Amino acid sequence: MDLDMFSMIAAASGMLAVPILAFIACFFLWPSALINFYHWYWRRALGMQVKHAEHGKYRFSYSFRGKQGNQPSILFLHGFSGDKDMWLSVVKFLPKHLHLVCVDMPGHGGTSRSAGEDYTIEGQVKRIHQFVECIRLNRKPFHLVGTSMGGSVAGVYAALYPSDLCSVTLICPAGLKCPNDSQLVKLLQDSKTSQSAKKIPLIPSTSEEMDEMMKLCSYIRFKIPQQILQGLVDVRIPHNDFYREVFLQITGEKSRYSLQENLHKFSVPVQVIWGKHDQVIDVSGATVLSSALPGCRVDLLEKCGHSVVMERPRKTAKLILEFLTSQRCNEGCSDKKTS
């Protein structure tokens, strides 16, 4: 082998070694950086752009794809301690021509976090309405999707601002008086009489607690390396005091049953999606919604827990699209009857 060929091979090997070593270093030393890169990569791959909207001194961070057109735009609201990127797994299975918007909820992700902010459900609803008006999303009625805490916000939004919406999808929504207690409720009740009274299972501070939280939220048992679990915890720990404040507000007297208290105001079509094995908010909440809203569509998913969006993203996207299609068909039939 001549010297030039050897030099080329050595150079090529060096070029390959750099990204491989960088990946290994991130995996073991900075797993949180690897997680952030993963989200950046998937946003880029799926064509999601990140932008900011200002309302006075308050800033909303959101990602979007597409433009407003003939079909309704879809706004996604994530759950407690999540962010806009949690919807990427669902976005992957939605048509590229749809206008999709995923916003960081108040205080979460890149959205402003200010002292003394109202993080009750109605307080968050007001902020989301400000965001909608900032980006003029309500120029045409849009479809609103919310999960868990975001589901409660979406439901109360539908009750307070029905003219903004054409329909709403509630995924395992909080804010209901469920006939049966969930595993999370039982854990919280037990903690009141133990030394771990300050411990909230949804706010982990160690990799072991992170693993327990994921088992609580998911029916599927994801095999996650210890380093990634630690990375997930590292990302969350700086925000844990904030998460505790939000949790106490949304489970306090003003918010605990916000969705239930506003059901009588509903006038838009409603879809309910729930995992049958939800341990965070019991699936019996679906019967509360179907009883109060006789015309709503209810889809219960087998072998699925609270993290419907992560566990069954393809099914979630399919059900939302089916619901939107059925609503357009119903509107078409109504138009024919009145003509």
Side-chain angles (χ1 to χ4, degrees):
M1 182 182 295
D2 60 36
L3 186 60
D4 290 341
M5 181 64 72
F6 179 81
S7 298
M8 287 176 61
I9 293 173
S13 300
M15 291 175 65
L16 287 172
V18 170
I20 292 172
L21 290 173
F23 175 84
I24 293 172
C26 283
F27 185 81
F28 287 102
L29 301 177
W30 304 291
S32 58
L34 189 62
I35 292 166
N36 290 332
F37 173 78
Y38 172 82
H39 287 149
W40 172 85
Y41 171 80
W42 274 110
R43 283 198 303 267
R44 187 178 179 86
L46 295 171
M48 297 292 286
Q49 301 178 53
V50 175
K51 289 189 71 175
H52 297 91
E54 309 284 340
H55 183 272
K57 295 183 179 180
Y58 198 87
R59 186 177 79 160
F60 297 94
S61 178
Y62 67 101
S63 59
F64 75 98
R65 186 175 75 186
K67 297 180 179 180
Q68 286 181 297
N70 294 328
Q71 295 189 39
S73 300
I74 306 177
L75 173 60
F76 295 92
L77 307 181
H78 64 76
F80 170 74
S81 76
D83 61 33
K84 57 184 175 292
D85 290 330
M86 72 164 288
W87 294 105
L88 293 174
S89 56
V90 174
V91 168
K92 177 182 177 181
F93 298 106
L94 293 172
K96 291 186 176 180
H97 67 271
L98 290 178
H99 180 222
L100 310 177
V101 180
C102 306
V103 64
D104 281 330
M105 298 294 281
H108 291 70
T111 292
S112 292
R113 182 182 299 175
S114 48
E117 179 77 10
D118 181 2
Y119 293 110
T120 63
I121 296 301
E122 289 205 7
Q124 294 193 59
V125 168
K126 291 175 183 176
R127 282 296 189 193
I128 295 302
H129 187 244
Q130 290 171 356
F131 168 71
V132 165
E133 293 193 318
C134 279
I135 66 170
R136 301 182 65 193
L137 189 63
N138 55 353
R139 283 184 296 177
K140 294 181 179 179
F142 62 91
H143 181 68
L144 183 58
V145 181
T147 183
S148 195
M149 177 188 77
S152 186
V153 173
V156 177
Y157 191 106
L160 299 182
Y161 304 104
S163 61
D164 283 1
L165 306 181
C166 60
S167 47
V168 62
T169 295
L170 308 178
I171 304 174
C172 307
L176 297 170
K177 295 179 181 178
C178 299
N180 302 324
D181 287 340
S182 68
Q183 181 63 18
L184 174 63
V185 170
K186 293 174 182 176
L187 288 172
L188 291 172
Q189 289 173 342
D190 290 343
S191 71
K192 291 180 180 179
T193 57
S194 69
Q195 294 181 348
S196 59
K198 293 184 179 180
K199 182 179 177 181
I200 299 173
L202 299 181
I203 308 178
S205 55
T206 66
S207 58
E208 291 76 18
E209 289 177 359
M210 187 72 203
D211 189 42
E212 289 301 313
M213 186 192 82
M214 297 190 76
K215 290 177 181 177
L216 182 68
C217 292
S218 303
Y219 175 82
I220 298 173
R221 294 292 177 255
F222 296 103
K223 294 181 179 179
I224 301 176
Q226 186 71 17
Q227 289 82 3
I228 297 298
L229 283 173
Q230 188 59 54
L232 292 170
V233 172
D234 291 345
V235 169
R236 295 171 63 97
I237 282 178
H239 310 286
N240 276 357
D241 287 342
F242 164 72
Y243 293 150
R244 180 176 295 276
E245 178 185 355
V246 174
F247 187 84
L248 293 176
Q249 288 202 39
I250 63 176
T251 58
E253 290 185 12
K254 288 182 65 177
S255 290
R256 190 176 304 158
Y257 303 122
S258 287
L259 178 55
Q260 180 125 6
E261 291 165 358
N262 282 277
L263 289 177
H264 67 284
K265 301 176 185 176
F266 272 49
S267 59
V268 299
V270 180
Q271 176 186 39
V272 178
I273 303 175
W274 217 305
K276 281 191 174 182
H277 301 273
D278 192 338
Q279 297 184 86
V280 176
I281 305 173
D282 194 78
V283 67
S284 59
T287 61
V288 175
L289 291 170
S290 60
S291 297
L293 308 169
C296 77
R297 168 174 172 166
V298 178
D299 292 291
L300 304 181
L301 306 185
E302 297 283 353
K303 297 182 179 179
C304 183
H306 185 68
S307 302
V308 171
V309 174
M310 302 300 295
E311 296 181 76
R312 305 290 289 279
R314 185 193 296 269
K315 183 67 173 180
T316 301
K318 180 175 181 289
L319 290 173
I320 291 172
L321 290 174
E322 286 177 356
F323 180 65
L324 288 174
T325 300
S326 69
Q327 294 310 306
R328 288 198 297 272
C329 290
N330 291 340
E331 288 174 5
C333 292
S334 298
D335 291 341
K336 289 179 181 179
K337 289 179 181 179
T338 55
S339 61

